[in-house]
Amino acid sequence: MENHKLYLYPVWLRVWHGINAICIIILMFTGLSMQYGNIDYPLIPFKTSVSLHNFCGVVASVGFIVFIVGNFLSDNGIHYRFKIRGLYKRFYKQIMYYASGYFKGEPKPYPISEEFKFNPLQRVSYAIAMYVLMPLVIFSGIGLLYPELIVEKIFNIGGVQLTALLHSIMGFFIAFFLLIHLYVASIGKNPLRNYKSIISGYHESD
Amino acid sequence: MRNKLVYILVFLFFQVISFKLIAQEDQANLSKSNRHCANCHGNKYYSFFNSVTEQDQRKRMNPFFIIDTVAYKQGVHREFSCEDCHASEYNTYPHAPELKLEPKFSCLDCHGGDETYAHYQFEDIEIEVDNSVHKNAFGFQFGCAQCHDLHSYKPVARNKKSLIKEIVSADNQMCLSCHNNLSKYQILTDHTKPELLSTHDWLPNQELHFMHVRCIECHTPVTDTIMVSHKILPKEKAVHLCSDCHSTNSILRGKLYKYTAKQLRSTEKGFYNSMFLNEAYVIGANRNIYLNIISLIMLGGAFIGIAIHIALRIIKKK
């Protein structure tokens, strides 16, 4: 089969992705360190964690705006749109491919093209990560950075408490997403191929 | 529009009238002898007949000697008459100069060795105060009344109805009454008063900390035997390590949250009872055990799934 090179990831997207990736990793470790820190085993000193977390949080938030504006100005945004109808079927097809078809050497049910950069699972999970998890983590993060903005009490439970809860749950889901995102990216004939393409911008099809 | 204005004015008028009535009522609630003292010490001005000039005279009351009668009636010592603690010779004006030299009562003079007040641990508190930085610096000059205004004192921390926020505010007000008030600070010392904002500029989210934790959280050691630690440490020994509070073993559990945290306190689970400690959120100390379990199960499941997938990939490659 002839090797095609598709230019899927423009420069702005790669720069955003790279900065966002670094920020998310730092946010994850500093967040874990603050939440589960112990006097005897601090993963990262508390004060350092707070400063780093605040800094990376702001950078990632600015990055998120860049991503939204970029999607609006370019046609990158269409890759995150999906129809609910038939979603289950498409999910099933893709999951079956990862679970069995891939090992049998079957062709991809949703081959990558310029029009369809993501398979249905990616489309939905990326859309949820970027349009649900990220805004929630950013808004709750702004709330924690400026607690005076937060409603004092909601049904007798402290507003900061609830905001912190939302922030850490969203943070967890993003970390969970990252783990699966990183692994799924390695699925293919060459485990490193997808990692290379997000740096070079070119996707080599099989 | 005009009608509205009239209503507002009438409403305000009645507010002022009712406030005045309440104030007068409080004054009237005072015992006869206390009212006699409050005639002068309950106001900013006092008048008397000057026998030398043979004229009525009106003078400004020393602000430190003004007693808030409303607060007095709400305080724990409201039933006392002024003469119970001050010499009865104060009854006449001008007060005799030597009265200034009378020694003041300390809390222990009344509360020491009294079984009724045993749970307040006045004796233990006295030992702590004796070892505090204030007592070491100022000796006998530093007594209970420097922090606790005996004329208006009411228990906040030991009141089950108090919110943590109220405990924090009342407690910090005691420290700030000197540390944020140069004239009161200088009663004890000529030292330059440290600027609290700049001496605490190392503290992240300073305002938030000041509003939600007491000064004594960092400036006293943790004690299990006493409800409120009174041993103020020298500044070098104050808590500087964030993780002393922001961790499962948060010292706040043994201090500020002692009042409400008794319900479901568990050392292993940290502040997992935080849902009940509604007002308190401390990063690192509040962890929800159920969320921890759910997240560990999810992460464990994902890792197992990935491991199986990797194993199958390796097997298939061979």
Side-chain angles (χ1 to χ4, degrees):
Chain A
M1 201 185 276
E2 200 189 334
N3 260 12
H4 291 292
K5 266 194 166 186
L6 289 170
Y7 187 60
L8 292 185
Y9 314 111
V11 178
W12 74 267
L13 196 70
R14 280 179 282 148
V15 171
W16 163 76
H17 186 270
I19 292 173
N20 196 51
I22 293 166
C23 286
I24 298 285
I25 290 168
I26 297 174
L27 285 165
M28 195 172 82
F29 282 107
T30 51
L32 274 172
S33 177
M34 285 187 284
Q35 181 79 344
Y36 296 98
N38 186 300
I39 303 171
D40 304 321
Y41 326 100
L43 181 64
I44 306 160
F46 190 86
K47 224 175 153 181
T48 320
S49 299
V50 172
S51 318
L52 260 177
H53 201 84
N54 289 350
F55 178 76
C56 292
V58 171
V59 174
S61 304
V62 172
F64 179 73
I65 297 168
V66 170
F67 173 80
I68 296 291
V69 172
N71 274 357
F72 185 73
L73 296 179
S74 73
D75 49 12
N76 187 52
I78 53 165
H79 298 291
Y80 298 84
R81 282 179 214 151
F82 57 87
K83 279 189 186 133
I84 302 283
R85 234 178 109 166
L87 200 64
Y88 174 75
K89 249 186 191 170
R90 277 174 277 150
F91 272 10
Y92 182 75
K93 246 186 183 174
Q94 188 62 36
I95 290 169
M96 284 315 286
Y97 171 73
Y98 282 142
S100 85
Y102 166 70
F103 297 112
K104 291 176 194 159
E106 284 173 14
K108 286 177 180 172
Y110 300 96
I112 296 173
S113 67
E114 271 180 51
E115 292 80 25
F116 298 101
K117 212 162 69 165
F118 306 141
N119 69 47
L121 270 181
Q122 284 175 313
R123 218 172 246 265
V124 175
S125 59
Y126 293 4
I128 292 175
M130 293 314 297
Y131 294 121
V132 180
L133 301 184
M134 281 298 274
L136 283 176
V137 87
I138 288 172
F139 281 117
S140 55
I142 293 170
L144 292 174
L145 209 52
Y146 302 101
E148 59 273 21
L149 298 176
I150 301 175
V151 186
E152 199 149 299
K153 271 188 176 182
I154 301 158
F155 295 121
N156 212 30
I157 298 177
V160 176
Q161 169 93 44
L162 287 180
T163 314
L165 207 60
L166 177 72
H167 192 73
S168 50
I169 293 172
M170 292 306 123
F172 169 77
F173 280 131
I174 291 173
F176 190 73
F177 167 83
L178 174 70
L179 173 73
I180 295 170
H181 182 53
L182 278 175
Y183 178 68
V184 173
S186 79
I187 298 176
K189 276 188 183 152
N190 179 354
L192 295 177
R193 193 190 57 185
N194 282 329
Y195 299 123
K196 279 180 191 158
S197 56
I198 195 61
I199 293 167
S200 68
Y202 287 95
H203 176 83
E204 279 180 51
S205 64
D206 302 321
Chain B
M1 184 69 198
R2 188 173 268 183
N3 276 349
K4 254 187 188 170
L5 207 69
V6 172
Y7 284 136
I8 291 170
L9 284 174
V10 170
F11 175 75
L12 285 176
F13 175 74
F14 278 110
Q15 284 291 309
V16 170
I17 291 284
S18 59
F19 179 75
K20 231 182 160 179
L21 284 176
I22 290 168
Q24 279 171 357
E25 201 181 312
D26 267 305
Q27 190 101 323
N29 278 340
L30 292 171
S31 66
K32 203 179 164 196
S33 69
N34 283 3
R35 231 181 306 154
H36 176 68
C37 303
N39 274 339
C40 297
H41 288 281
N43 298 304
K44 286 181 178 168
Y45 296 92
Y46 64 103
S47 18
F48 62 99
F49 180 72
N50 188 332
S51 55
V52 179
T53 60
E54 299 204 321
Q55 273 176 337
D56 279 327
Q57 213 171 333
R58 199 167 149 84
K59 279 196 155 192
R60 267 200 310 185
M61 175 58 74
N62 178 338
F64 294 109
F65 297 155
I66 297 174
I67 305 299
D68 180 342
T69 49
V70 177
Y72 184 80
K73 283 304 288 179
Q74 291 167 351
V76 286
H77 299 126
R78 58 181 167 270
E79 298 303 332
F80 287 85
S81 90
C82 306
E83 287 174 22
D84 289 336
C85 304
H86 301 282
S88 56
E89 287 81 359
Y90 272 114
N91 253 328
T92 53
Y93 187 83
H95 303 317
E98 63 270 19
L99 286 175
K100 273 203 167 139
L101 310 176
E102 70 164 11
K104 297 244 166 67
F105 284 121
S106 92
C107 301
L108 264 289
D109 291 329
C110 296
H111 296 293
D114 188 341
E115 274 307 305
T116 326
Y117 299 102
H119 65 285
Y120 282 93
Q121 298 168 288
F122 280 105
E123 285 82 2
D124 297 334
I125 289 175
E126 189 185 35
I127 297 169
E128 289 215 340
V129 173
D130 284 345
N131 289 307
S132 77
V133 70
H134 294 121
K135 197 78 172 186
N136 287 337
F138 309 117
F140 73 94
Q141 282 207 77
F142 192 88
C144 309
Q146 298 293 337
C147 308
H148 303 283
D149 183 357
L150 307 182
H151 295 113
S152 62
Y153 185 77
K154 51 181 177 184
V156 180
R158 291 174 203 264
N159 181 350
K160 278 184 187 158
K161 286 181 190 160
S162 298
L163 299 172
I164 297 247
K165 215 174 170 181
E166 290 164 348
I167 299 176
V168 170
S169 160
D171 211 282
N172 287 354
Q173 206 44 53
M174 288 187 220
C175 307
L176 293 177
S177 71
C178 285
H179 285 276
N180 198 28
N181 182 343
L182 187 64
S183 51
K184 199 174 165 206
Y185 187 85
Q186 285 179 333
I187 295 175
L188 289 173
T189 178
D190 288 332
H191 288 173
T192 320
K193 186 176 77 63
E195 277 308 319
L196 294 184
L197 296 184
S198 55
T199 53
H200 289 87
D201 61 0
W202 62 276
L203 187 66
N205 289 324
Q206 198 188 59
E207 195 186 339
L208 205 61
H209 278 101
F210 283 1
M211 274 165 56
H212 295 282
V213 286
R214 297 173 301 179
C215 309
I216 59 165
E217 253 62 87
C218 300
H219 289 276
T220 62
V222 185
T223 51
D224 266 345
T225 50
I226 205 161
M227 191 68 174
V228 187
S229 180
H230 279 71
K231 188 180 167 186
I232 315 292
L233 298 167
K235 64 175 190 290
E236 301 76 29
K237 287 191 181 166
V239 169
H240 271 93
L241 207 60
C242 307
S243 51
D244 279 350
C245 291
H246 294 281
S247 69
T248 349
N249 307 320
S250 176
I251 59 166
L252 286 173
R253 207 174 25 204
K255 290 188 159 185
L256 184 56
Y257 302 126
K258 211 156 47 168
Y259 310 105
T260 47
K262 280 176 180 167
Q263 328 163 26
L264 272 168
R265 188 136 43 103
S266 152
T267 33
E268 296 132 52
K269 292 171 184 172
F271 277 147
Y272 107 83
N273 54 336
S274 56
M275 276 309 196
F276 303 98
L277 276 178
N278 297 330
E279 299 166 75
Y281 177 74
V282 184
I283 310 172
N286 297 74
R287 295 171 205 172
N288 190 299
I289 192 146
Y290 305 113
L291 283 183
N292 286 353
I293 293 169
I294 295 168
S295 55
L296 281 175
I297 291 173
M298 279 178 72
L299 279 179
F303 273 115
I304 293 170
I306 289 172
I308 294 171
H309 207 260
I310 292 174
L312 285 172
R313 279 167 78 175
I314 294 167
I315 293 165
K316 277 284 165 184
K317 226 176 184 180
K318 282 177 184 171

